[in-house]
Amino acid sequence: MFTDHPDDTIAAIASAPGGAARGIVRVSGPRAIDCVASLLEAETPSGDLRQASSPRVVPGRLQLTNFASTLPCDVYIWPGVRSYTRQPTVEIHTLGSPPLLSATLGELCGQGARLAKPGEFTLRAFLAGRLDLTQAEAVLGVIDAADRRELDAALVQLAGGLGGALNALRDRLLDLLAHLEAGLDFVEEDIEFINSSRLQAELDESQAIVAGLAERMARRGEALDSARVALVGWPNVGKSSLFNALAGDDRAIVSPQPGATRDYLRAKISLNGVACELIDTAGVETLPADEIGDAAQQASGEQRERARLELFCLDGSRPLNAWEEARLSQSTAADRTLFVVTKADAPRRLVELPGAIETSSATGQGFDALRARIRDALDETLPSDDGIVLSTSIRCRESLRLAAESLGRAEELARLAAGEELVAAELRVALDQLGQVVGAVYTEDVLDRIFSRFCIGK
Ligand code: GDP
């Protein structure tokens, strides 16, 4: 089980894989200091790790078996509960050579530590109450952030933005529940701990807060859809070539035969700090259904539907065909479409299209301008991330919906004076759902799902 053995001493390489100037090995648990002290030759007499009573840095040298000489290091030590995991924690900062870091880890395991599982340091921080579950997810959000926007959202969530609002609401509902339960205890004496108009007002406000949070979660989910960019156009205009050039590889099949791409392809790309998903819709939507599989046509149509921005590609080396003319005449300024002229290196046979971006996948012409235009168009239309990490919004949307429903029912029951016992039951359901969001209520299963997505060492 994921939460088993919280008192084991765990160790892992905490720096990024591969060689670097500096590397970090992190150890946490009751034996962390002993494990490291037995490998360390401190440079100063005051550097005895076992005597440290407050956080400090101790310069020294590592003595590793089978290494001819000792190695320089700085040891960061948190002897008490002021560490990330709230357990004694030590970090060895040394040369970032992978075999050296692995040997250090091996020696620490020889001294009684065990290899940490993915996310186990952050799991301990959560179990020790240092982070709530939304903040733990934000740690992963910071590590995985693909652009500034995602990083900003993760940092807001890490700083307790979301958890703070949820915890304040839970406190409020717990108070309300306490009043109701006290009233139930003294039902014989007819003492009223909260009057019905105050109860209704409280439930009203709480419902509004949950609805607001649920909406923020939903908006965060939309942000993913909104960052989709679809390449559309007649077969053979050069969409796959454009896709490969933008994605920086050649996963799309480029073929002189029209309709070579039978399914859609996607690639995550970053345009000057804005992450988006590029989709090659393969031009299948322009072909008669009997020439292509229905499923491929449908998939392609769906991808276009969900795309926030369309790059409508037109071949610069030939005149417009009837389908293209029809689409151009139907297009309006409200469409989220950028017109892209392809094959600008070939002799020009296409009419001038004001506002279109001229490109050549063969020479790279126009790509900087195209990237900048895509980025600007996305920037205009992207909703803000609103301080919520995507994985949190996906995990918690259902809980917030259920909490909102329970509060709605509680409010109705209060209005109908149906009995405080029933109102209290609904409040308990809402509290349970909100508790799942912050992690005050959790199951092994949920923790497993969240923390197994971390890398080892975090
Ligand atoms: P798709 O069917 O729209 O995906 O088009 P492809 O990317 O498969 O390209 C169709 C044909 O156009 C292939 O023969 C490509 O080599 C050619 N092509 C694509 N881009 C360019 C370009 O920038 N310049 C020239 N001269 N040919 C291109």
Side-chain angles (χ1 to χ4, degrees):
M1 281 288 171
F2 214 64
T3 46
D4 279 356
H5 315 299
D7 286 328
D8 283 0
T9 295
I10 53 173
I13 297 171
S15 43
R22 296 276 268 184
I24 301 172
V25 178
R26 184 176 290 155
V27 199
S28 190
R31 284 193 35 78
I33 292 171
D34 276 343
C35 286
V36 178
S38 52
L39 309 184
L40 186 75
E41 199 177 87
E43 266 175 12
T44 56
S46 62
D48 184 355
L49 300 188
R50 293 184 182 96
Q51 302 304 318
S53 56
S54 57
R56 68 187 56 184
V57 186
V58 178
R61 300 190 72 86
L62 280 178
Q63 294 174 308
L64 301 177
T65 325
N66 298 332
F67 275 72
S69 60
T70 56
L71 297 150
C73 67
D74 282 324
V75 171
Y76 289 67
I77 167 167
W78 291 264
V81 292
R82 283 168 61 194
S83 69
Y84 186 52
T85 58
R86 296 225 159 122
Q87 293 177 325
T89 297
V90 187
E91 282 184 7
I92 303 170
H93 291 225
T94 183
L95 306 169
S97 135
L100 167 62
L101 298 174
S102 299
T104 308
L105 191 58
E107 298 252 350
L108 290 168
C109 290
Q111 297 296 328
R114 72 158 164 83
L115 294 179
K117 292 180 210 159
E120 202 170 2
F121 291 97
T122 306
L123 174 71
R124 287 190 176 189
F126 164 71
L127 292 174
R130 192 181 227 298
L131 303 171
D132 70 27
L133 217 43
T134 68
Q135 288 171 311
E137 282 170 318
V139 171
L140 191 60
V142 170
I143 297 167
D144 287 347
D147 60 25
R148 260 310 288 269
R149 206 185 288 264
E150 286 186 11
L151 178 62
D152 286 347
L155 289 173
V156 170
Q157 186 165 314
L158 183 59
L162 178 63
L166 283 161
N167 282 318
L169 178 63
R170 286 189 71 242
D171 285 348
R172 195 168 172 166
L173 293 175
L174 280 167
D175 266 359
L176 208 54
L177 186 61
H179 280 120
L180 288 175
E181 283 177 345
L184 290 171
D185 285 346
F186 291 92
V187 75
E188 309 286 285
E189 279 103 293
D190 209 16
I191 304 173
E192 197 177 53
F193 283 81
I194 180 165
N195 69 37
S196 84
S197 62
R198 168 115 190 272
L199 174 63
Q200 272 188 51
E202 281 283 327
L203 288 169
D204 246 3
E205 277 177 44
S206 305
Q207 227 186 320
I209 296 171
V210 174
L213 285 169
E215 198 194 83
R216 280 174 61 193
M217 296 270 180
R219 263 207 309 269
R220 181 61 184 92
E222 276 168 23
L224 181 74
D225 285 348
S226 62
R228 292 205 166 112
V229 179
L231 289 161
V232 296
W234 195 256
N236 227 30
V237 293
K239 294 182 299 300
S240 302
S241 308
L242 203 65
F243 177 95
N244 290 339
L246 281 171
D249 60 21
D250 37 62
R251 73 188 79 178
I253 307 158
V254 174
S255 156
Q257 298 304 315
T261 325
R262 284 294 186 228
D263 209 343
Y264 62 86
L265 285 163
R266 339 146 144 258
K268 291 243 184 241
I269 60 171
S270 172
L271 298 164
N272 309 342
V274 173
C276 66
E277 190 177 29
L278 189 66
I279 300 160
D280 184 0
T281 61
V284 288
E285 69 273 24
T286 60
L287 292 178
D290 55 354
E291 276 192 34
I292 53 162
D294 282 351
Q297 187 175 33
Q298 201 184 340
S300 173
E302 272 169 20
Q303 287 310 312
R304 273 191 44 209
E305 282 292 296
R306 291 165 69 192
R308 186 80 183 177
L309 187 68
E310 250 182 36
L311 302 185
F312 189 59
C313 303
L314 295 153
D315 188 337
S317 70
R318 65 161 173 76
L320 294 175
N321 63 28
W323 180 82
E324 290 165 340
E325 278 189 11
R327 280 230 36 191
L328 279 174
S329 67
Q330 285 159 11
S331 84
T332 68
D335 291 348
R336 296 165 314 212
T337 304
L338 290 179
F339 292 98
V340 181
V341 175
T342 59
K343 309 187 190 177
D345 57 294
R348 175 76 170 209
R349 304 217 20 232
L350 181 73
V351 288
E352 281 308 313
L353 293 170
I357 309 146
E358 307 275 329
T359 65
S360 163
S361 304
T363 66
Q365 178 194 332
F367 271 78
D368 285 346
L370 177 60
R371 285 195 187 92
R373 288 278 296 278
I374 298 174
R375 188 195 188 290
D376 290 350
L378 288 177
D379 235 7
E380 271 172 29
T381 51
L382 274 176
S384 82
D385 280 350
D386 219 2
I388 298 178
V389 168
L390 185 66
S391 58
T392 308
S393 95
I394 293 169
R395 177 178 68 84
C396 303
R397 227 175 288 171
E398 186 61 3
S399 286
L400 281 173
R401 193 183 63 76
L402 294 173
E405 271 181 21
S406 292
L407 289 176
R409 280 195 297 271
E411 202 240 353
E412 196 177 343
L413 289 165
R415 193 160 34 81
L416 299 172
E420 295 192 338
E421 208 153 342
L422 295 176
V423 178
E426 291 295 349
L427 269 187
R428 274 187 220 106
V429 175
L431 273 164
D432 187 67
Q433 293 297 336
L434 296 174
Q436 288 181 31
V437 176
V438 286
V441 181
Y442 60 83
T443 59
E444 284 281 341
D445 197 34
V446 167
L447 295 188
D448 238 353
R449 233 178 309 144
I450 293 175
F451 289 97
S452 60
R453 292 180 19 246
F454 277 68
C455 46
I456 291 174
K458 294 289 179 288

